[in-house]
């Protein structure tokens, strides 16, 4: 039986500029301090930063003003409407204009066929990441699935194309923001590396036998570490 953890199997570390003053909100029955922000770059990426009320991260966020730069690190999820990334920060600290940080890691299952770009240089697929929230009227956690668009180039493109539907993958990359034909902004993950977990034993005694990890059977995470190309950056 898989373990239903309350935290998503995904996290990010970014440097952002606050788009507005942090405000108190209630989400999923919990109190947070929240602010809209954007990852700086040639194409800014719109995200939201949250921190649990009374946490040290919330105190640090409370001291920030519109336009301030900060480093935020924590679990990520997607808003139901529009799929905007939300970082629930456990770390918030000062950043400087000459710094850049945009790193995201997700673990989830492939849920779509490959979509080849017109240029033929990249492939996009959807990856489902499950997270679990405790319902207010029940002791049983509620499963929520966030669907991330993942785009890959070169060596990682081959890995993403070859993965079968339902395959468990770990994707490391960066948030990227694009615009669709209706001029609506959307976010996807540009992959730097992809590991496909093959779910097979590699031999020897396994001290984790009979246990689970983050909502997935522990056997799912066993496989060869041959997925990162030498020129992955």
């Amino acid at each position: 039986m898989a373990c239903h953890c309350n935290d998503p199997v995904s996290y990010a570390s970014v440097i952002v500029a606050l788009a507005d003053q942090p405000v108190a909100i209630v989400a999923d029955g919990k109190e947070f301090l929240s602010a809209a922000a954007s990852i700086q770059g040639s194409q800014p990426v719109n995200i939201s930063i949250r921190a649990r009320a009374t946490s040290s991260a919330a105190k640090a966020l409370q001291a920030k003003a519109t336009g301030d730069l900060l480093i935020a690190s924590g679990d990520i999820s997607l808003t139901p409407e529009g799929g905007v990334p939300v970082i629930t920060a456990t770390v918030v600290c000062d950043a400087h204009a000459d710094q850049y940080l945009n790193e995201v890691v997700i673990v989830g299952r492939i849920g779509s066929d490959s979509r080849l770009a017109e240029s033929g240089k990249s492939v996009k697929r959807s990856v489902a990441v499950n997270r679990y929230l405790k319902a207010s009227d029940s002791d049983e956690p509620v499963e929520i699935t966030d669907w991330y668009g993942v785009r890959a180039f070169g060596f990682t493109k081959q890995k993403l194309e070859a993965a079968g539907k339902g395959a468990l993958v770990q994707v490391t990359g960066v948030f990227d923001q694009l615009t669709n034909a209706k001029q609506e902004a959307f976010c996807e993950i540009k992959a730097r590396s992809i590991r496909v977990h093959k779910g097979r034993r590699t031999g020897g005694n396994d001290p984790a036998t009979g246990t689970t990890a983050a909502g997935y059977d522990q056997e799912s995470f066993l496989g060869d570490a041959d997925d990162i190309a030498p020129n992955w950056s």
Side-chain angles (χ1 to χ4, degrees):
M1 181 177 177
C3 171
H4 290 166
C5 296
N6 291 328
D7 296 324
V9 191
S10 50
Y11 61 91
S13 295
V14 297
I15 291 178
V16 297
L18 290 187
D20 55 26
Q21 189 72 24
V23 295
I25 66 167
V26 176
D28 303 319
K30 299 174 183 177
E31 296 181 350
F32 294 90
L33 198 65
S34 177
S38 63
I39 303 170
Q40 302 300 287
S42 57
Q43 176 61 57
V45 181
N46 297 325
I47 67 170
S48 179
I49 302 294
R50 292 179 185 171
R52 288 289 298 271
T54 73
S55 68
S56 58
K59 293 178 182 177
L61 185 58
Q62 180 70 62
K64 304 301 180 184
T66 302
D68 283 353
L69 294 175
L70 58 88
I71 299 172
S73 181
D75 294 330
I76 60 170
S77 57
L78 297 177
T79 60
E81 63 291 340
V84 175
V86 177
I87 297 181
T88 302
T90 54
V91 174
V92 172
C93 58
D94 293 337
H96 304 285
D98 58 350
Q99 295 176 312
Y100 180 80
L101 178 61
N102 180 358
E103 182 176 69
V104 55
V105 178
I106 63 171
V107 175
R109 296 196 180 275
I110 297 287
S112 69
D113 293 325
S114 299
R115 285 172 282 174
L116 186 66
E118 290 185 6
S119 65
K121 294 181 179 180
S122 69
V123 153
K124 182 177 180 179
R125 300 187 77 175
S126 296
V127 175
V129 176
N130 293 334
R131 54 192 172 95
Y132 299 89
L133 298 174
K134 186 175 179 180
S136 59
D137 58 350
S138 173
D139 291 333
E140 290 298 317
V142 176
E143 181 180 277
I144 298 174
T145 301
D146 290 325
W147 289 93
Y148 293 86
V150 175
R151 186 174 300 277
F153 300 78
F155 180 82
T156 53
K157 171 177 174 287
Q158 298 171 29
K159 285 290 181 182
L160 193 58
E161 284 181 305
K165 279 188 178 181
L168 181 64
V169 296
Q170 177 177 311
V171 179
T172 301
V174 300
F175 286 124
D176 192 24
Q177 186 162 297
L178 303 128
T179 304
N180 62 22
K182 296 180 180 180
Q183 299 304 304
E184 298 168 332
F186 67 95
C187 187
E188 62 184 26
I189 295 173
K190 186 182 293 183
R192 284 179 172 167
S193 68
I194 296 176
R195 173 174 291 184
V196 181
H197 295 284
K198 301 175 179 63
R200 62 180 175 81
R201 294 296 297 272
T202 55
N205 294 326
D206 182 1
T209 298
T211 67
T212 58
Y216 300 103
D217 293 336
Q218 58 89 18
E219 288 86 356
S220 298
F221 291 92
L222 300 177
D224 297 325
D226 62 352
D227 303 291
I228 300 179
N231 61 341
W232 68 277
S233 60

